[in-house]
Short mmCIF file of all heavy atoms in Angstrom, two decimals:
data_model
loop_
_atom_site.label_atom_id
_atom_site.label_comp_id
_atom_site.label_asym_id
_atom_site.label_seq_id
_atom_site.Cartn_x
_atom_site.Cartn_y
_atom_site.Cartn_z
N MET H 163 104.71 73.12 85.40
CA MET H 163 104.79 73.76 86.71
C MET H 163 103.90 72.99 87.69
O MET H 163 102.85 72.50 87.44
CB MET H 163 104.26 75.17 86.65
CG MET H 163 104.23 75.96 87.89
SD MET H 163 103.79 77.67 87.81
CE MET H 163 105.26 78.34 87.19
N ASN H 164 104.42 72.80 88.90
CA ASN H 164 103.76 72.05 89.93
C ASN H 164 102.56 72.84 90.48
O ASN H 164 102.78 74.03 90.84
CB ASN H 164 104.74 71.75 91.05
CG ASN H 164 104.16 70.86 92.10
OD1 ASN H 164 102.98 70.81 92.38
ND2 ASN H 164 105.08 70.20 92.84
N ILE H 165 101.46 72.28 90.51
CA ILE H 165 100.24 73.01 90.93
C ILE H 165 100.37 73.51 92.39
O ILE H 165 99.73 74.57 92.73
CB ILE H 165 98.94 72.19 90.79
CG1 ILE H 165 97.67 73.04 90.90
CG2 ILE H 165 98.96 71.00 91.78
CD1 ILE H 165 96.43 72.34 90.50
N LEU H 166 101.17 72.84 93.25
CA LEU H 166 101.36 73.30 94.59
C LEU H 166 101.93 74.77 94.64
O LEU H 166 101.70 75.46 95.62
CB LEU H 166 102.19 72.34 95.39
CG LEU H 166 101.60 70.99 95.62
CD1 LEU H 166 102.55 70.11 96.47
CD2 LEU H 166 100.33 71.14 96.48
N THR H 167 102.58 75.18 93.64
CA THR H 167 103.13 76.55 93.58
C THR H 167 102.07 77.53 93.73
O THR H 167 102.23 78.55 94.35
CB THR H 167 103.83 76.71 92.18
OG1 THR H 167 104.83 75.75 92.12
CG2 THR H 167 104.44 78.11 92.09
N PHE H 168 100.81 77.20 93.20
CA PHE H 168 99.71 78.15 93.25
C PHE H 168 99.00 78.22 94.58
O PHE H 168 98.17 79.05 94.78
CB PHE H 168 98.73 77.87 92.09
CG PHE H 168 99.34 77.91 90.80
CD1 PHE H 168 99.48 76.82 89.99
CD2 PHE H 168 99.66 79.17 90.20
CE1 PHE H 168 100.08 76.86 88.77
CE2 PHE H 168 100.24 79.27 88.94
CZ PHE H 168 100.43 78.11 88.22
N PHE H 169 99.44 77.32 95.50
CA PHE H 169 98.85 77.38 96.81
C PHE H 169 99.74 78.16 97.77
O PHE H 169 99.45 78.26 99.03
CB PHE H 169 98.61 75.95 97.32
CG PHE H 169 97.50 75.29 96.70
CD1 PHE H 169 97.70 74.42 95.56
CD2 PHE H 169 96.20 75.45 97.15
CE1 PHE H 169 96.64 73.73 94.97
CE2 PHE H 169 95.11 74.81 96.51
CZ PHE H 169 95.40 74.00 95.43
N ALA H 170 100.87 78.68 97.35
CA ALA H 170 101.74 79.44 98.19
C ALA H 170 101.02 80.67 98.78
O ALA H 170 100.16 81.21 98.14
CB ALA H 170 103.01 79.88 97.43
N TYR H 171 101.27 81.04 100.01
CA TYR H 171 100.57 82.10 100.63
C TYR H 171 101.47 83.11 101.36
O TYR H 171 100.99 84.13 101.82
CB TYR H 171 99.49 81.57 101.55
CG TYR H 171 100.07 80.71 102.72
CD1 TYR H 171 100.47 81.35 103.92
CD2 TYR H 171 100.31 79.34 102.57
CE1 TYR H 171 101.01 80.62 104.89
CE2 TYR H 171 100.87 78.62 103.56
CZ TYR H 171 101.25 79.23 104.79
OH TYR H 171 101.88 78.50 105.74
N GLU H 172 102.72 82.80 101.55
CA GLU H 172 103.55 83.64 102.36
C GLU H 172 103.76 85.03 101.79
O GLU H 172 104.06 85.91 102.51
CB GLU H 172 104.99 82.95 102.51
CG GLU H 172 104.97 81.66 103.23
CD GLU H 172 104.72 80.45 102.36
OE1 GLU H 172 104.46 80.61 101.10
OE2 GLU H 172 104.66 79.29 102.86
N HIS H 173 103.56 85.19 100.48
CA HIS H 173 103.75 86.42 99.89
C HIS H 173 102.43 87.38 100.06
O HIS H 173 102.56 88.56 99.81
CB HIS H 173 103.98 86.30 98.37
CG HIS H 173 102.84 85.63 97.66
ND1 HIS H 173 102.52 84.33 97.79
CD2 HIS H 173 101.88 86.19 96.87
CE1 HIS H 173 101.43 84.06 97.13
NE2 HIS H 173 101.02 85.17 96.49
N LEU H 174 101.50 86.84 100.55
CA LEU H 174 100.14 87.58 100.64
C LEU H 174 100.19 88.40 101.98
O LEU H 174 100.85 88.06 102.93
CB LEU H 174 98.91 86.64 100.74
CG LEU H 174 98.73 85.76 99.47
CD1 LEU H 174 97.63 84.76 99.73
CD2 LEU H 174 98.33 86.68 98.32
N PRO H 175 99.42 89.44 102.02
CA PRO H 175 99.21 90.17 103.30
C PRO H 175 98.59 89.23 104.34
O PRO H 175 97.90 88.25 104.01
CB PRO H 175 98.15 91.31 102.89
CG PRO H 175 98.21 91.43 101.44
CD PRO H 175 98.64 90.08 100.97
N LYS H 176 98.80 89.52 105.58
CA LYS H 176 98.43 88.61 106.70
C LYS H 176 96.95 88.24 106.63
O LYS H 176 96.59 87.15 106.86
CB LYS H 176 98.73 89.30 108.03
CG LYS H 176 100.22 89.36 108.37
CD LYS H 176 100.84 87.98 108.64
CE LYS H 176 102.30 88.14 109.03
NZ LYS H 176 103.00 86.85 108.87
N HIS H 177 96.03 89.29 106.33
CA HIS H 177 94.62 88.98 106.25
C HIS H 177 94.25 88.07 105.19
O HIS H 177 93.19 87.37 105.37
CB HIS H 177 93.83 90.31 106.29
CG HIS H 177 93.81 90.93 104.95
ND1 HIS H 177 94.95 91.73 104.51
CD2 HIS H 177 92.87 91.09 104.01
CE1 HIS H 177 94.62 92.19 103.28
NE2 HIS H 177 93.35 91.86 102.96
N LEU H 178 95.10 87.88 104.22
CA LEU H 178 94.79 86.92 103.14
C LEU H 178 95.51 85.61 103.35
O LEU H 178 95.04 84.54 102.93
CB LEU H 178 95.20 87.48 101.76
CG LEU H 178 94.42 88.68 101.29
CD1 LEU H 178 94.94 89.17 99.91
CD2 LEU H 178 92.91 88.41 101.23
N GLN H 179 96.63 85.67 104.13
CA GLN H 179 97.35 84.46 104.46
C GLN H 179 96.42 83.52 105.31
O GLN H 179 96.38 82.32 105.12
CB GLN H 179 98.63 84.76 105.26
CG GLN H 179 99.73 85.27 104.43
CD GLN H 179 101.06 85.49 105.26
OE1 GLN H 179 101.21 84.93 106.35
NE2 GLN H 179 101.94 86.20 104.68
N VAL H 180 95.65 84.08 106.23
CA VAL H 180 94.82 83.18 107.05
C VAL H 180 93.75 82.53 106.35
O VAL H 180 93.28 81.49 106.69
CB VAL H 180 94.31 84.01 108.30
CG1 VAL H 180 95.41 84.52 109.21
CG2 VAL H 180 93.40 85.13 107.89
N VAL H 181 93.34 83.19 105.22
CA VAL H 181 92.33 82.56 104.37
C VAL H 181 92.96 81.44 103.49
O VAL H 181 92.41 80.37 103.28
CB VAL H 181 91.66 83.65 103.46
CG1 VAL H 181 90.77 82.98 102.39
CG2 VAL H 181 90.90 84.60 104.25
N SER H 182 94.13 81.71 102.95
CA SER H 182 94.74 80.88 101.97
C SER H 182 95.48 79.60 102.60
O SER H 182 95.62 78.56 101.96
CB SER H 182 95.79 81.71 101.17
OG SER H 182 96.28 80.98 100.03
N LYS H 183 96.04 79.78 103.75
CA LYS H 183 96.85 78.74 104.40
C LYS H 183 96.14 77.35 104.47
O LYS H 183 96.74 76.38 104.17
CB LYS H 183 97.41 79.16 105.72
CG LYS H 183 98.32 78.10 106.37
CD LYS H 183 98.83 78.51 107.74
CE LYS H 183 99.76 77.58 108.36
NZ LYS H 183 99.36 76.14 108.38
N PRO H 184 94.89 77.32 104.97
CA PRO H 184 94.23 76.05 105.04
C PRO H 184 94.11 75.30 103.76
O PRO H 184 94.19 74.12 103.66
CB PRO H 184 92.83 76.38 105.60
CG PRO H 184 92.98 77.70 106.31
CD PRO H 184 94.10 78.45 105.57
N PHE H 185 94.00 76.01 102.63
CA PHE H 185 93.90 75.42 101.35
C PHE H 185 95.32 74.84 100.96
O PHE H 185 95.38 73.74 100.37
CB PHE H 185 93.47 76.46 100.24
CG PHE H 185 92.04 76.81 100.47
CD1 PHE H 185 91.69 77.97 101.20
CD2 PHE H 185 91.05 76.04 99.86
CE1 PHE H 185 90.33 78.32 101.33
CE2 PHE H 185 89.74 76.45 100.02
CZ PHE H 185 89.40 77.60 100.76
N CYS H 186 96.36 75.50 101.33
CA CYS H 186 97.73 75.03 101.07
C CYS H 186 97.94 73.76 101.91
O CYS H 186 98.46 72.71 101.35
CB CYS H 186 98.74 76.12 101.49
SG CYS H 186 100.47 75.58 101.24
N ASP H 187 97.57 73.76 103.13
CA ASP H 187 97.70 72.54 103.96
C ASP H 187 96.93 71.37 103.43
O ASP H 187 97.42 70.27 103.40
CB ASP H 187 97.23 72.89 105.42
CG ASP H 187 98.06 74.00 106.14
OD1 ASP H 187 99.25 74.21 105.68
OD2 ASP H 187 97.54 74.51 107.11
N THR H 188 95.69 71.63 102.94
CA THR H 188 94.87 70.62 102.34
C THR H 188 95.52 70.10 101.08
O THR H 188 95.56 68.82 100.84
CB THR H 188 93.42 71.10 102.16
OG1 THR H 188 92.89 71.52 103.38
CG2 THR H 188 92.62 69.99 101.55
N ALA H 189 95.99 71.00 100.23
CA ALA H 189 96.63 70.52 98.96
C ALA H 189 97.82 69.66 99.25
O ALA H 189 98.00 68.62 98.62
CB ALA H 189 97.05 71.76 98.19
N ASN H 190 98.58 70.03 100.23
CA ASN H 190 99.75 69.16 100.58
C ASN H 190 99.32 67.86 101.10
O ASN H 190 99.98 66.77 100.82
CB ASN H 190 100.66 69.89 101.56
CG ASN H 190 101.53 70.96 100.85
OD1 ASN H 190 102.40 70.56 100.05
ND2 ASN H 190 101.37 72.18 101.16
N HIS H 191 98.29 67.81 101.91
CA HIS H 191 97.75 66.54 102.45
C HIS H 191 97.29 65.75 101.28
O HIS H 191 97.51 64.46 101.26
CB HIS H 191 96.63 66.78 103.38
CG HIS H 191 95.93 65.57 103.90
ND1 HIS H 191 96.55 64.80 104.90
CD2 HIS H 191 94.71 65.03 103.69
CE1 HIS H 191 95.74 63.76 105.17
NE2 HIS H 191 94.69 63.92 104.44
N VAL H 192 96.57 66.26 100.32
CA VAL H 192 96.09 65.51 99.18
C VAL H 192 97.31 64.86 98.40
O VAL H 192 97.27 63.67 98.08
CB VAL H 192 95.26 66.41 98.22
CG1 VAL H 192 95.08 65.77 96.81
CG2 VAL H 192 93.98 66.79 98.83
N VAL H 193 98.32 65.65 98.16
CA VAL H 193 99.51 65.18 97.46
C VAL H 193 100.18 64.06 98.29
O VAL H 193 100.74 63.08 97.73
CB VAL H 193 100.52 66.30 97.12
CG1 VAL H 193 101.83 65.78 96.65
CG2 VAL H 193 99.83 67.25 96.04
N ASP H 194 100.26 64.21 99.57
CA ASP H 194 100.95 63.25 100.41
C ASP H 194 100.17 62.00 100.64
O ASP H 194 100.83 60.95 100.93
CB ASP H 194 101.28 63.90 101.79
CG ASP H 194 102.27 65.02 101.71
OD1 ASP H 194 103.00 65.09 100.77
OD2 ASP H 194 102.34 65.77 102.71
N THR H 195 98.88 61.96 100.44
CA THR H 195 98.13 60.78 100.86
C THR H 195 97.37 60.10 99.69
O THR H 195 96.93 58.90 99.90
CB THR H 195 97.08 61.13 101.90
OG1 THR H 195 96.18 62.22 101.41
CG2 THR H 195 97.75 61.61 103.17
N LEU H 196 97.14 60.77 98.59
CA LEU H 196 96.39 60.14 97.47
C LEU H 196 97.34 59.71 96.34
O LEU H 196 98.35 60.35 96.15
CB LEU H 196 95.35 61.11 97.00
CG LEU H 196 94.23 61.56 97.95
CD1 LEU H 196 93.33 62.59 97.28
CD2 LEU H 196 93.47 60.35 98.43
N PRO H 197 96.93 58.73 95.64
CA PRO H 197 97.79 58.30 94.53
C PRO H 197 97.75 59.34 93.42
O PRO H 197 96.81 60.05 93.25
CB PRO H 197 97.06 57.02 94.00
CG PRO H 197 95.76 56.94 94.60
CD PRO H 197 95.79 57.83 95.84
N ASP H 198 98.89 59.43 92.71
CA ASP H 198 98.99 60.40 91.55
C ASP H 198 98.30 59.88 90.39
O ASP H 198 98.77 59.02 89.65
CB ASP H 198 100.49 60.61 91.26
CG ASP H 198 100.81 61.63 90.24
OD1 ASP H 198 99.78 62.29 89.84
OD2 ASP H 198 101.94 61.81 89.90
N ASN H 199 97.09 60.43 90.30
CA ASN H 199 96.23 60.05 89.13
C ASN H 199 95.33 61.24 88.66
O ASN H 199 95.41 62.28 89.25
CB ASN H 199 95.41 58.83 89.43
CG ASN H 199 94.50 58.99 90.62
OD1 ASN H 199 93.99 60.04 90.85
ND2 ASN H 199 94.31 57.88 91.39
N GLU H 200 94.51 61.00 87.74
CA GLU H 200 93.73 62.09 87.14
C GLU H 200 92.77 62.70 88.17
O GLU H 200 92.51 63.90 88.25
CB GLU H 200 92.99 61.60 85.89
CG GLU H 200 92.17 62.68 85.22
CD GLU H 200 92.95 63.81 84.66
OE1 GLU H 200 94.20 63.58 84.28
OE2 GLU H 200 92.50 64.94 84.54
N GLU H 201 92.17 61.83 89.00
CA GLU H 201 91.24 62.31 89.99
C GLU H 201 91.92 63.22 91.05
O GLU H 201 91.39 64.21 91.54
CB GLU H 201 90.48 61.17 90.73
CG GLU H 201 89.48 60.52 89.82
CD GLU H 201 88.44 61.50 89.27
OE1 GLU H 201 87.85 62.24 90.11
OE2 GLU H 201 88.17 61.43 88.09
N ARG H 202 93.19 62.91 91.41
CA ARG H 202 93.86 63.72 92.33
C ARG H 202 94.14 65.09 91.64
O ARG H 202 93.99 66.17 92.28
CB ARG H 202 95.21 63.11 92.70
CG ARG H 202 95.89 63.98 93.79
CD ARG H 202 97.25 63.33 94.22
NE ARG H 202 98.30 63.78 93.28
CZ ARG H 202 99.59 63.51 93.56
NH1 ARG H 202 99.98 62.82 94.56
NH2 ARG H 202 100.48 63.95 92.68
N SER H 203 94.49 65.07 90.41
CA SER H 203 94.73 66.32 89.63
C SER H 203 93.44 67.21 89.66
O SER H 203 93.47 68.48 89.82
CB SER H 203 95.13 66.03 88.22
OG SER H 203 96.44 65.37 88.23
N VAL H 204 92.31 66.57 89.37
CA VAL H 204 91.08 67.33 89.35
C VAL H 204 90.74 67.84 90.76
O VAL H 204 90.33 68.97 90.90
CB VAL H 204 89.87 66.40 88.87
CG1 VAL H 204 88.51 67.07 89.09
CG2 VAL H 204 90.09 66.03 87.46
N CYS H 205 90.97 67.01 91.76
CA CYS H 205 90.79 67.49 93.17
C CYS H 205 91.63 68.71 93.42
O CYS H 205 91.07 69.77 94.02
CB CYS H 205 91.21 66.37 94.10
SG CYS H 205 91.21 66.78 95.85
N LEU H 206 92.91 68.74 93.04
CA LEU H 206 93.77 69.90 93.32
C LEU H 206 93.36 71.13 92.48
O LEU H 206 93.37 72.19 92.99
CB LEU H 206 95.16 69.45 93.02
CG LEU H 206 95.83 68.51 93.95
CD1 LEU H 206 97.20 68.01 93.41
CD2 LEU H 206 96.04 69.20 95.30
N ARG H 207 92.89 70.92 91.24
CA ARG H 207 92.40 72.07 90.43
C ARG H 207 91.17 72.67 91.09
O ARG H 207 91.01 73.90 91.13
CB ARG H 207 92.06 71.60 88.99
CG ARG H 207 93.37 71.47 88.15
CD ARG H 207 93.03 71.41 86.68
NE ARG H 207 92.12 70.40 86.32
CZ ARG H 207 92.44 69.10 86.06
NH1 ARG H 207 93.65 68.75 86.10
NH2 ARG H 207 91.51 68.24 85.70
N LYS H 208 90.25 71.84 91.61
CA LYS H 208 89.02 72.36 92.18
C LYS H 208 89.32 73.07 93.51
O LYS H 208 88.76 74.04 93.89
CB LYS H 208 87.98 71.27 92.31
CG LYS H 208 87.43 70.84 91.00
CD LYS H 208 86.43 69.72 91.12
CE LYS H 208 85.90 69.26 89.77
NZ LYS H 208 84.80 70.13 89.34
N LEU H 209 90.31 72.45 94.28
CA LEU H 209 90.76 73.13 95.52
C LEU H 209 91.41 74.48 95.24
O LEU H 209 91.13 75.44 95.99
CB LEU H 209 91.71 72.22 96.31
CG LEU H 209 92.20 72.62 97.68
CD1 LEU H 209 90.97 72.68 98.63
CD2 LEU H 209 93.20 71.65 98.16
N LEU H 210 92.17 74.58 94.24
CA LEU H 210 92.75 75.88 93.84
C LEU H 210 91.68 76.85 93.45
O LEU H 210 91.74 77.97 93.85
CB LEU H 210 93.70 75.61 92.66
CG LEU H 210 94.41 76.80 92.17
CD1 LEU H 210 95.30 77.55 93.28
CD2 LEU H 210 95.33 76.53 90.93
N GLU H 211 90.67 76.40 92.74
CA GLU H 211 89.55 77.23 92.30
C GLU H 211 88.84 77.77 93.62
O GLU H 211 88.50 79.00 93.82
CB GLU H 211 88.58 76.56 91.49
CG GLU H 211 87.42 77.41 91.00
CD GLU H 211 86.50 76.67 90.13
OE1 GLU H 211 86.81 75.46 89.67
OE2 GLU H 211 85.36 77.21 89.82
N ALA H 212 88.60 76.88 94.57
CA ALA H 212 87.97 77.22 95.87
C ALA H 212 88.80 78.27 96.63
O ALA H 212 88.30 79.21 97.18
CB ALA H 212 87.67 76.06 96.68
N LYS H 213 90.13 78.05 96.68
CA LYS H 213 91.05 78.89 97.38
C LYS H 213 90.98 80.34 96.77
O LYS H 213 90.87 81.34 97.46
CB LYS H 213 92.50 78.41 97.35
CG LYS H 213 93.50 79.15 98.18
CD LYS H 213 94.26 80.20 97.43
CE LYS H 213 94.95 79.80 96.20
NZ LYS H 213 95.72 80.88 95.64
N ASP H 214 90.99 80.37 95.43
CA ASP H 214 90.91 81.69 94.73
C ASP H 214 89.54 82.42 95.08
O ASP H 214 89.59 83.62 95.30
CB ASP H 214 90.97 81.51 93.28
CG ASP H 214 92.46 81.08 92.83
OD1 ASP H 214 93.37 81.23 93.63
OD2 ASP H 214 92.61 80.60 91.64
N CYS H 215 88.52 81.65 95.13
CA CYS H 215 87.22 82.26 95.50
C CYS H 215 87.20 82.75 96.93
O CYS H 215 86.66 83.92 97.21
CB CYS H 215 86.09 81.21 95.27
SG CYS H 215 85.75 80.79 93.58
N ALA H 216 87.81 81.99 97.83
CA ALA H 216 87.85 82.43 99.19
C ALA H 216 88.66 83.69 99.39
O ALA H 216 88.32 84.60 100.09
CB ALA H 216 88.44 81.29 100.10
N VAL H 217 89.80 83.79 98.66
CA VAL H 217 90.66 85.00 98.77
C VAL H 217 89.89 86.20 98.14
O VAL H 217 89.89 87.34 98.74
CB VAL H 217 91.97 84.83 98.01
CG1 VAL H 217 92.71 86.14 97.90
CG2 VAL H 217 92.85 83.80 98.85
N ARG H 218 89.22 86.01 97.00
CA ARG H 218 88.43 87.12 96.42
C ARG H 218 87.27 87.51 97.43
O ARG H 218 86.94 88.68 97.53
CB ARG H 218 87.87 86.67 95.09
CG ARG H 218 88.94 86.63 93.97
CD ARG H 218 88.36 86.57 92.57
NE ARG H 218 87.55 85.41 92.36
CZ ARG H 218 88.00 84.21 92.02
NH1 ARG H 218 89.34 84.09 91.76
NH2 ARG H 218 87.19 83.25 91.73
N ALA H 219 86.66 86.55 98.08
CA ALA H 219 85.60 86.87 99.00
C ALA H 219 86.15 87.77 100.08
O ALA H 219 85.48 88.70 100.55
CB ALA H 219 84.99 85.62 99.52
N GLN H 220 87.29 87.34 100.59
CA GLN H 220 87.88 88.17 101.69
C GLN H 220 88.25 89.61 101.22
O GLN H 220 88.05 90.60 101.84
CB GLN H 220 89.25 87.50 102.18
CG GLN H 220 89.91 88.31 103.28
CD GLN H 220 89.14 88.31 104.58
OE1 GLN H 220 88.25 87.53 104.79
NE2 GLN H 220 89.42 89.30 105.38
N LEU H 221 88.64 89.71 99.90
CA LEU H 221 89.02 91.03 99.32
C LEU H 221 87.76 91.86 99.17
O LEU H 221 87.81 93.05 99.24
CB LEU H 221 89.71 90.83 98.03
CG LEU H 221 91.18 90.40 98.04
CD1 LEU H 221 91.72 90.04 96.72
CD2 LEU H 221 92.03 91.44 98.77
N GLY H 222 86.61 91.17 98.83
CA GLY H 222 85.34 91.85 98.61
C GLY H 222 84.84 92.49 99.89
O GLY H 222 84.21 93.52 99.88
N GLY H 223 85.05 91.75 100.95
CA GLY H 223 84.63 92.25 102.32
C GLY H 223 83.18 92.69 102.32
O GLY H 223 82.33 92.44 101.54
N LYS H 224 82.88 93.43 103.41
CA LYS H 224 81.58 94.03 103.59
C LYS H 224 81.75 95.44 104.15
O LYS H 224 82.67 95.75 104.83
CB LYS H 224 80.71 93.26 104.60
CG LYS H 224 79.95 92.21 103.94
CD LYS H 224 78.84 91.71 104.84
CE LYS H 224 77.97 90.76 104.06
NZ LYS H 224 76.80 90.40 104.69
#
């Protein structure tokens, strides 16, 4: 499965889309500009982890 699938955000509620979209944009930029190698894969995995944390932070709110 392509890791970019996990950066999709259109299915999320609007308040989570605004958090998730910049990560999707960045992931696509990484894929479009960096060579396909192990470091790019690590970069995308860490970006996905950061996106998940940001979404959870938004869900946690105050």
Side-chain angles (χ1 to χ4, degrees):
M163 179 176 282
N164 187 335
I165 193 167
L166 289 178
T167 302
F168 299 111
F169 287 96
Y171 61 89
E172 296 86 358
H173 64 287
L174 297 171
K176 291 290 184 196
H177 73 287
L178 297 178
Q179 286 185 15
V180 298
V181 173
S182 189
K183 183 182 184 307
F185 292 94
C186 180
D187 294 343
T188 302
N190 281 296
H191 178 73
V192 166
V193 168
D194 291 344
T195 60
L196 296 178
D198 185 4
N199 57 36
E200 185 61 30
E201 287 302 313
R202 185 180 88 171
S203 296
V204 171
C205 174
L206 290 168
R207 283 195 305 272
K208 290 178 182 277
L209 186 61
L210 181 60
E211 182 179 351
K213 188 266 308 183
D214 290 345
C215 290
V217 169
R218 286 193 301 272
Q220 181 68 20
L221 288 171
K224 273 197 172 190

